[in-house]
């Protein structure tokens, strides 16, 4: 969906054979990943990359070597349009509303899971130590396109090619969240899954095979309506309602009163005029390798990287960084004032970002997922992202999304898993023609087949082959791989 006339992505690939310290299990050399420096990147390219397991930390884009790294990191996305607010999520939202409305502070401060920002710090610092890109801007400005031995349809396929089968793509890494430990365990079944409930043993909870208990308030409303219908005939524009209409009115009232609240009912609720506190939000573009874009069928704010600031009574208390991409909102990280940790700002910001994703979907129909970064099952403290349901994990071999309920039993037996159970399935986006990889060499754009013949010195084909296999055929033909 690259905008007409937009600049192509320009990247430098650095491989990633050396291990570095893991921020989760503290293994000094166990964290293994491939990496590249993004001098610039289109939102469509980054969307496609995160749907292949990549993640960015500033301008450094990395992909864990899943079958070798000490703590495999699986890309996780939440289906925002079908998001189910859990009991613990509602507690966080109600806690915020009580604080804003009445100034009430919860007596029990729930401990929060540590934010996983340390992994981005490790990656970024390690990369900077090894040698941040020192390529000058002038070298990155293409002057010409070499058409000699032009690969068939190269110009038409690059920059304007739109993947047809990937409308449901989306992903996210390092979602810097502070998770509330009151949240349900990751193994809690999704409402979309078929579940057979057995009657509980005495003292073990509600019988889920029976209708759920109803609120006394809803029961009173229904009785009042029934009494009203029995004692008088309702009239609409002077004509009597027939008995069938009265039944419909009653049934309609039942359906509304029994309908569970949506996340919007909590997030966008109006505060009373005498509210004790005022929470405001501002959003603006921030510096990142992602090129800001606007599209006719895109969100009004456009695509790109944004800072979301949380202001409480005129004081900034938190900043969330998000990437708005063609198919998703990708949460990058959150940092906040620890004096306000009692408000569970990590969880609260994630819920607001999910609501924001749903809001953007109204203007941009393809944008319907919320990417939370990486799910790390081998580190118990990092399993909290699985509590945002329904959610999917990305298969590290075929790059197909799989419901997390199907993944968890596999991860209990092995920290590295192929989620796609079809043994014959392969990576459909794999590299098929290495010669079509686009290269930027001496300010000239050319296919790798041309560059390979002109290159002096030892062959770099193995490195280019590895790069292309990781980014996939589509991105390799669209992005420019810088070669000095």
């Amino acid at each position: 969906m690259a905008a007409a006339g937009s600049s192509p992505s320009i990247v430098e690939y650095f491989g990633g054979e050396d291990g570095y310290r893991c921020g989760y299990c503290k293994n000094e050399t166990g964290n293994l990943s491939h990496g590249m420096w993004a001098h610039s990147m289109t939102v469509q390219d980054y969307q496609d990359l995160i749907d292949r397991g990549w993640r960015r930390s500033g301008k450094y884009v990395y992909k864990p070597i899943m079958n070798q790294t000490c703590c495999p990191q699986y890309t996780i996305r939440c289906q925002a349009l079908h998001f189910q607010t859990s009991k613990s999520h509602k507690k966080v939202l109600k806690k915020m509303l009580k604080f804003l409305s009445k100034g009430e502070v919860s007596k029990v401060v729930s401990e929060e899971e540590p934010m996983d920002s340390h992994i981005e710090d490790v990656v970024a610092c390690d990369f900077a130590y090894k040698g941040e890109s020192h390529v000058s801007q002038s070298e990155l400005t293409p002057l010409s396109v070499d058409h000699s031995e032009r690969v068939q349809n190269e110009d038409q396929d690059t920059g304007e090619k739109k993947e047809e089968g990937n409308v449901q793509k989306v992903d996210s890494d390092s979602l810097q969240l502070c998770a509330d430990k009151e949240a349900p365990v990751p193994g809690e079944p999704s409402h979309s899954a078929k579940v057979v409930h057995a009657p509980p043993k005495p003292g073990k909870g509600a019988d889920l095979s029976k209708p759920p208990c109803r609120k006394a308030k809803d029961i009173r409303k229904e009785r009042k309506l029934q009494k009203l219908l029995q004692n008088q005939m309702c009239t609409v524009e002077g004509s009597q309602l027939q008995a069938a209409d009265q039944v419909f009115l009653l049934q309609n009232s039942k359906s509304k009163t029994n309908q569970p609240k949506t996340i919007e009912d909590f997030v966008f609720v109006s505060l009373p005029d005498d509210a004790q506190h005022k929470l405001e939000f501002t959003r603006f573009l921030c510096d990142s390798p992602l090129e800001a874009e606007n599209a006719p069928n895109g969100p009004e704010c456009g695509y790109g990287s944004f800072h979301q600031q949380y202001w409480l009574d005129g004081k900034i208390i938190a900043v969330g960084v998000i990437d708005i991409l063609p198919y998703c909102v990708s949460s990058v990280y959150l940092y906040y004032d620890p004096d306000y940790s009692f408000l569970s700002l990590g969880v609260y910001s994630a819920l607001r970002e999910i609501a924001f994703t749903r809001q953007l979907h109204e203007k941009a129909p393809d944008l319907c997922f919320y990417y939370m970064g990486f799910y790390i099952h081998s580190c118990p403290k990092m399993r909290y992202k699985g509590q945002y349901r329904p959610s999917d994990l990305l298969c590290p071999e075929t790059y197909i999304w799989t419901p997390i309920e199907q993944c968890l039993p596999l991860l209990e037996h092995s920290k590295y898993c192929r989620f796609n159970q079809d043994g014959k399935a392969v990576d459909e986006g794999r590299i098929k023609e290495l010669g079509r990889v686009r290269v930027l060499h001496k300010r000239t754009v050319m296919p790798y087949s041309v560059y390979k013949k002109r290159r002096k010195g030892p062959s770099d084909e193995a490195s280019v082959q590895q790069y292309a296999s990781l980014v996939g055929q589509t991105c390799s033909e669209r992005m420019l791989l810088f070669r000095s």
Side-chain angles (χ1 to χ4, degrees):
M1 64 130 284
S6 62
S7 301
S9 303
I10 302 177
V11 299
E12 278 184 88
Y13 181 66
F14 293 98
E17 285 69 33
D18 298 332
Y20 49 88
R21 187 175 185 274
C22 176
Y24 301 112
C25 70
K26 312 306 179 184
N27 186 312
E28 290 298 328
T29 58
N31 201 339
L32 298 166
S33 67
H34 298 288
M36 58 186 177
W37 191 261
H39 293 279
S40 64
M41 183 164 287
T42 67
V43 290
Q44 184 63 60
D45 283 341
Y46 186 54
Q47 175 73 71
D48 292 345
L49 286 175
I50 60 177
D51 284 331
R52 291 183 64 83
W54 291 83
R55 189 70 182 170
R56 80 174 182 89
S57 174
K59 289 192 173 185
Y60 183 65
V61 188
Y62 63 101
K63 183 183 190 313
I65 305 177
M66 297 293 283
N67 61 349
Q68 297 179 33
T69 191
C70 55
C71 296
Q73 302 163 55
Y74 298 91
T75 300
I76 182 171
R77 73 178 186 184
C78 173
Q79 299 177 32
L81 304 189
H82 306 288
F83 177 67
Q84 302 159 2
T85 312
S86 70
K87 185 177 180 180
S88 67
H89 294 152
K90 291 176 183 177
K91 284 183 178 180
V92 171
L93 294 170
K94 290 177 180 178
K95 179 168 60 177
M96 176 65 81
L97 289 176
K98 286 182 179 179
F99 174 73
L100 296 176
S101 300
K102 304 176 182 179
E104 292 183 10
V105 177
S106 176
K107 294 181 180 179
V108 179
V109 180
S110 60
E111 292 184 20
E112 303 205 356
E113 299 288 1
M115 293 164 58
D116 58 350
S117 55
H118 55 268
I119 187 59
E120 293 206 329
D121 294 337
V122 169
V123 171
C125 293
D126 181 76
F127 175 76
Y129 176 78
K130 289 181 179 178
E132 180 178 331
S133 175
H134 296 295
V135 177
S136 66
Q137 186 58 43
S138 61
E139 292 180 86
L140 298 171
T141 306
L143 288 179
S144 62
V145 177
D146 192 320
H147 293 287
S148 60
E149 293 190 32
R150 186 173 70 189
V151 179
Q152 183 179 9
N153 296 328
E154 183 210 1
D155 288 348
Q156 289 85 349
D157 289 347
T158 54
E160 297 180 7
K161 184 175 180 182
K162 197 170 185 178
E163 288 192 80
E164 289 293 329
N166 296 331
V167 175
Q168 292 187 343
K169 284 185 174 182
V170 272
D171 150 19
S172 115
D173 168 293
S174 306
L175 168 69
Q176 284 19 17
L177 286 187
C178 306
D180 194 327
K181 287 192 175 179
E182 294 177 349
V185 295
E188 178 185 326
S190 165
H191 292 295
S192 61
K194 185 176 181 181
V195 181
V196 179
H197 298 295
K201 296 179 180 180
K204 296 297 182 181
D207 187 346
L208 298 179
S209 64
K210 297 180 179 179
C213 295
R214 298 172 57 198
K215 292 183 178 180
K217 179 176 67 175
D218 293 339
I219 295 175
R220 287 197 300 270
K221 283 184 179 179
E222 184 177 323
R223 286 176 179 169
K224 184 176 181 180
L225 180 59
Q226 286 177 327
K227 188 175 181 180
L228 177 66
L229 291 173
Q230 290 172 355
N231 295 338
Q232 63 182 50
M233 295 295 289
C234 299
T235 59
V236 176
E237 296 180 354
S239 62
Q240 289 189 335
L241 283 175
Q242 300 300 315
D245 297 321
Q246 296 180 33
V247 171
F248 172 78
L249 180 60
L250 177 60
Q251 290 176 340
N252 192 45
S253 172
K254 287 181 182 179
S255 64
K256 286 185 178 180
T257 56
N258 291 334
Q259 202 169 38
K261 286 186 177 182
T262 65
I263 189 171
E264 288 81 8
D265 293 329
F266 292 99
V267 171
F268 300 126
V269 65
S270 298
L271 294 175
D273 294 336
D274 60 348
Q276 296 294 304
H277 300 285
K278 186 177 183 180
L279 185 63
E280 298 175 294
F281 307 89
T282 58
R283 184 182 308 110
F284 55 89
L285 278 166
C286 62
D287 183 41
S288 90
L290 299 187
E291 301 289 340
E293 294 182 21
N294 286 282
N297 60 341
E300 293 182 2
C301 60
Y303 299 106
S305 299
F306 294 80
H307 276 167
Q308 295 207 112
Q309 295 184 344
Y310 294 69
W311 293 82
L312 180 65
D313 301 331
K315 175 186 177 181
I316 190 167
I317 62 169
V319 177
V321 180
I322 59 172
D323 293 332
I324 299 180
L325 304 175
Y327 308 137
C328 73
V329 168
S330 175
S331 180
V332 184
Y333 59 84
L334 170 84
Y335 51 95
Y336 60 84
D337 186 336
D339 289 344
Y340 296 90
S341 59
F342 65 89
L343 290 174
S344 304
L345 291 173
V347 177
Y348 181 76
S349 66
L351 296 173
R352 281 203 69 96
E353 288 170 3
I354 291 173
F356 179 53
T357 303
R358 291 158 64 106
Q359 206 173 26
L360 294 179
H361 171 75
E362 296 177 7
K363 179 68 168 61
D366 288 345
L367 201 164
C368 49
F369 295 97
Y370 177 62
Y371 280 46
M372 299 177 282
F374 287 142
Y375 174 81
I376 306 161
H377 193 79
S378 58
C379 180
K381 288 187 176 182
M382 299 311 298
R383 295 181 184 179
Y384 65 87
K385 293 179 185 179
Q387 298 162 357
Y388 294 81
R389 300 292 182 90
S391 58
D392 309 304
L393 298 184
L394 187 68
C395 176
E397 296 181 11
T398 62
Y399 304 112
I400 296 298
W401 293 102
T402 306
I404 194 170
E405 293 86 355
Q406 298 177 25
C407 303
L408 295 178
L410 300 174
L411 291 171
E412 284 296 321
H413 289 89
S414 173
K415 64 180 182 180
Y416 173 74
C417 295
R418 170 192 166 110
F419 299 136
N420 192 331
Q421 297 302 293
D422 181 356
K424 297 181 180 179
V426 297
D427 169 18
E428 296 295 338
R430 66 191 182 282
I431 185 71
K432 301 178 182 70
E433 298 180 59
L434 188 63
R436 295 175 64 94
V437 173
R438 291 182 92 196
V439 171
L440 175 62
H441 176 59
K442 293 184 178 180
R443 303 182 71 178
T444 301
V445 178
M446 64 186 75
Y448 180 68
S449 58
V450 173
Y451 166 77
K452 182 180 177 181
K453 293 179 179 180
R454 298 182 179 182
R455 175 182 170 82
K456 297 178 182 179
S459 172
D460 65 349
E461 185 169 339
S463 175
V464 175
Q465 176 71 47
Q466 185 182 66
Y467 155 81
S469 67
L470 294 170
V471 304
Q473 186 76 46
T474 300
C475 280
S476 71
E477 292 183 31
R478 217 163 43 200
M479 303 192 301
L480 302 182
L481 175 63
F482 178 82
R483 310 312 278 170
S484 57

